[in-house]
Amino acid sequence: MEVVSLFQVVPEGTVASPQGFQAGGLHCGLKKTSRNDLGAIYCEVPATAAAVYTTNAFQAAPLKVTRESIASNGRLRAVVVNSGNANACTGRQGEADAYAMRAAAADAFGLAASEVAVASTGVIGELLPMDRVVGGIVGLPAALAAGDEGADQFAQAILTTDLVKKESCVTLTVDGHEVTIAGAAKGSGMIHPNMATMLAFVTTDAVISQQALQGLLGQTTDVTFNMITVDGDTSTNDMLIAMASGLAGNTELAPGHPDWDSFAAAFRHVCQTLAQAIARDGEGATRLVEVTVSGAVTDQSARAIAKTVIGSSLVKSAMFGADANWGRIIAAVGRAGEPVNPDTVDIKLGDIPVLIGSQPVAFDEEQALAYLQGDTVVIHVELHYGAGQATAWGCDLTYDYVRINAAYRT
Amino acid sequence: MEVVSLFQVVPEGTVASPQGFQAGGLHCGLKKTSRNDLGAIYCEVPATAAAVYTTNAFQAAPLKVTRESIASNGRLRAVVVNSGNANACTGRQGEADAYAMRAAAADAFGLAASEVAVASTGVIGELLPMDRVVGGIVGLPAALAAGDEGADQFAQAILTTDLVKKESCVTLTVDGHEVTIAGAAKGSGMIHPNMATMLAFVTTDAVISQQALQGLLGQTTDVTFNMITVDGDTSTNDMLIAMASGLAGNTELAPGHPDWDSFAAAFRHVCQTLAQAIARDGEGATRLVEVTVSGAVTDQSARAIAKTVIGSSLVKSAMFGADANWGRIIAAVGRAGEPVNPDTVDIKLGDIPVLIGSQPVAFDEEQALAYLQGDTVVIHVELHYGAGQATAWGCDLTYDYVRINAAYRT
């Protein structure tokens, strides 16, 4: 990423790194194991808030409640999240439970209900055991341990079948003020976001208008979270919330601000890092697969093609087997329904050309095998048909994906 | 199928059952094992022919050649098919090879080149070993053993990772004449047809105009072959060819003929039976999954929803695990991008209601488990939103799908 010099990556940073934010997590009994299943991000001042939500027609109850909170005045003080139960397709009781979860959190933190967002992830169609949830929420203020330990507990609390927590943090300078942007996310299965990923939270201490934050969030989502897929299934619970405390003291960011491009690049870095981490930790995945498409008629066309290739079960299985089976890649390109010239396609696996001008190229199978056995594989597709380009991220399809999902609920 | 009384199923029938047709197969050395890999259907008179082809942008060379043959005068005498090599993405040499394959077959059978269709299925991107193909074609006329034994050899010859051959045959009466319709198909992987399935061949001795046959083939494909999916990947080689010898002696069939509806129903039965057989024998599959959608705004909308559900990796994994995880079903309905009322959806697994009015229904888990462990599972989705309906067929996602596709080429 050539813009990386516009900001600095903070390897150990967390959602609690930006000024004003705390986070914490605990176990309230939604997961059968003792792993954390309830968490919160808290801001000591009202944070400018923006969000994007799943486009699935069956949006889960917490999305409705969070949407109402943000709509009230564009600000949030806290987000409360549970894992282990999605509170989706739970009807009127589920809606009442999401409101009750918000009310309990408002009580616990001494906030107005409209300052609280709620999110849930886990099994669809089961009612939340509200006694456990409310009991857990009472303990959340105490769980907001200062700094990164609390944020680590939060990042653990939002996971379901994820194996690793996903965090990202960068700093940059905005008219002389140090600004921090951080994020945490969970993913793993039912990952094929359309407007937002499963659950992701971005915090920053920048001063930024709500309109600018919402606009940036939408644009960034299109090229980060909306470009990953684990299994092609778009969740009912996808939600991405961004909160800006404004404590960095910079002049208000909006398009046109001299540091806007730097801020946008830094914001995108955080989102992209989280999106890649979700793809790499897809259910059962053994490696991250990146697909770049260039030479499409438009960026939008390139995105459609990249997502078709990254979502192909046959390509994903070949990646698991470290098999340089480019025939499946070009077949996926060809079924994307986008304009291509059948005679001008180049495909490379990393730096290894396997197809030039739509004709097979002899390549060293041993070299290809060694490359495909790595923990990150990049598939380059050059269409020579226009100037559109895109990148998508996904993972391989493995025995473990089937094992996890053949026995998830029971 | 309430129209089944319009025709009779012939359980042991083959593509050689209709008057005028013979078929045969042999091993010419394209497959590493001794299984058949080359076959032909031959008609003793010029048969009225129609075909539908994949919509993949990268159509394999044999499709171009077959399209030319049928375009020349709408008639075919022979179809030659190889398995083990798709002759796809093989450039100008691949095209030359497809023409050479057609020429060799025309020589062997004493026909004009334009009376011969060719089809290939197997690995993408490798050149056909033409010495073996041509050597095999020379032996095809002798392999056309009379009757069902030859047709059985043909049905074997077109398989790749398929486990069982797929055949269907029915008879009906058309203005006093017995008419037979039969078909053979192969499927298994890269199955998500869009205009035609992997490879399928339908023969009949009916007298039917080319235009009527082509029209019927297109309509029937939309509700049969185009409604199955194994892995969401649309092949470069999908082709469905129908041949009518006309030897039954009926007055020419076309819409308006008194027996047209019977013929169309019988034709659909053959195609649907083959399509279901492809879904049931999907790579690694342990069971056939059928999804019926009713109450959609239109049939087209119902088809889109049914195909989204049947294609969901999460639904497919749950079916492998016999897990009544209806949350994944409704999530798939919700991401299909079609109009639905989020509050009025009913879902049944066989006869077991699990969701009514979008609200979970208590059900007997033991009963559901027993049902889902059967070899055919039907998922009913009723949207209560319109009059559109559709049925789609697929299979479960299993360890064996991953095993087969992680090591297919190497």
Side-chain angles (χ1 to χ4, degrees), chain A residues 157-343:
Chain A
I158 63 178
L159 306 182
T160 53
T161 51
D162 304 63
L163 298 178
V164 298
K165 60 191 173 70
K166 293 145 188 93
E167 296 174 290
S168 180
C169 184
V170 301
T171 62
L172 74 158
T173 302
V174 176
D175 53 50
H177 298 263
E178 182 178 85
V179 163
T180 301
I181 309 173
K186 62 87 55 187
S188 217
M190 206 174 272
I191 296 293
H192 186 78
N194 194 355
M195 288 312 285
T197 191
M198 197 76 176
L199 287 183
F201 306 95
V202 176
T203 58
T204 179
D205 42 24
V207 179
I208 181 169
S209 75
Q210 206 273 334
Q211 190 183 1
L213 186 63
Q214 183 68 51
L216 181 62
L217 194 64
Q219 288 161 29
T220 306
T221 300
D222 276 349
V223 291
T224 57
F225 293 109
N226 284 357
M227 290 307 290
I228 63 172
T229 192
V230 168
D231 48 20
D233 279 288
T234 303
S235 160
T236 50
N237 286 52
D238 292 348
M239 176 158 39
L240 165 59
I241 299 179
M243 296 167 70
S245 71
L247 296 178
N250 56 283
T251 57
E252 188 176 83
L253 280 160
H257 187 291
D259 291 318
W260 176 254
D261 289 348
S262 300
F263 183 78
F267 193 89
R268 176 173 170 163
H269 177 87
V270 168
C271 291
Q272 183 169 317
T273 304
L274 295 174
Q276 286 173 326
I278 290 172
R280 184 185 292 281
D281 191 29
E283 284 180 337
T286 68
R287 52 183 60 97
L288 175 71
V289 182
E290 175 175 307
V291 175
T292 70
V293 172
S294 52
V297 285
T298 61
D299 286 355
Q300 191 177 7
S301 177
R303 285 203 284 268
I305 293 167
K307 286 198 79 167
T308 303
V309 174
I310 204 76
S312 159
S313 293
L314 289 170
V315 172
K316 288 158 64 76
S317 300
M319 293 300 102
F320 175 49
D323 182 5
N325 197 326
W326 58 262
R328 295 179 182 169
I329 299 168
I330 197 164
V333 171
R335 73 172 163 86
E338 296 295 324
V340 295
N341 179 339
D343 299 323

Side-chain angles (χ1 to χ4, degrees), chain B residues 204-294:
Chain B
T204 179
D205 43 22
V207 179
I208 181 170
S209 73
Q210 204 274 335
Q211 189 184 2
L213 186 62
Q214 184 67 51
L216 182 61
L217 195 63
Q219 288 162 27
T220 306
T221 299
D222 276 348
V223 292
T224 57
F225 293 109
N226 284 357
M227 290 307 291
I228 63 172
T229 192
V230 168
D231 49 20
D233 279 287
T234 303
S235 162
T236 51
N237 285 53
D238 292 349
M239 176 158 42
L240 165 60
I241 299 178
M243 298 166 70
S245 70
L247 295 177
N250 56 284
T251 56
E252 187 176 84
L253 280 159
H257 186 293
D259 292 317
W260 176 254
D261 288 348
S262 299
F263 184 77
F267 193 89
R268 175 174 170 162
H269 177 86
V270 168
C271 290
Q272 182 169 317
T273 304
L274 295 175
Q276 286 173 324
I278 289 171
R280 185 185 290 281
D281 192 28
E283 284 179 337
T286 67
R287 53 183 58 97
L288 176 70
V289 182
E290 176 174 304
V291 175
T292 71
V293 173
S294 53

Side-chain angles (χ1 to χ4, degrees), chain B residues 333-349:
Chain B
V333 171
R335 74 172 164 87
E338 295 295 325
V340 296
N341 179 340
D343 300 322
T344 61
V345 180
D346 303 341
I347 296 177
K348 285 196 294 182
L349 303 174

Side-chain angles (χ1 to χ4, degrees), chain A residues 56-57 233 323 331 335 409, chain B residues 56 233 323 328 331 334-335 409:
Chain A
N56 195 301
D233 279 288
D323 182 5
R335 73 172 163 86
R409 195 188 57 105
Chain B
N56 195 299
D233 279 287
D323 181 6
R328 296 180 181 170
R335 74 172 164 87
R409 195 190 57 108

Side-chain angles (χ1 to χ4, degrees), chain A residues 317-318 321 323 328, chain B residues 402-410:
Chain A
S317 300
D323 182 5
R328 295 179 182 169
Chain B
V402 177
R403 181 184 56 73
I404 291 164
N405 286 302
Y408 177 60
R409 195 190 57 108
T410 47

Side-chain angles (χ1 to χ4, degrees), chain A residues 280 286-290 371-378 393:
Chain A
R280 184 185 292 281
T286 68
R287 52 183 60 97
L288 175 71
V289 182
E290 175 175 307
Y371 176 69
L372 295 174
Q373 285 174 334
D375 74 348
T376 302
V377 169
V378 182
W393 299 274

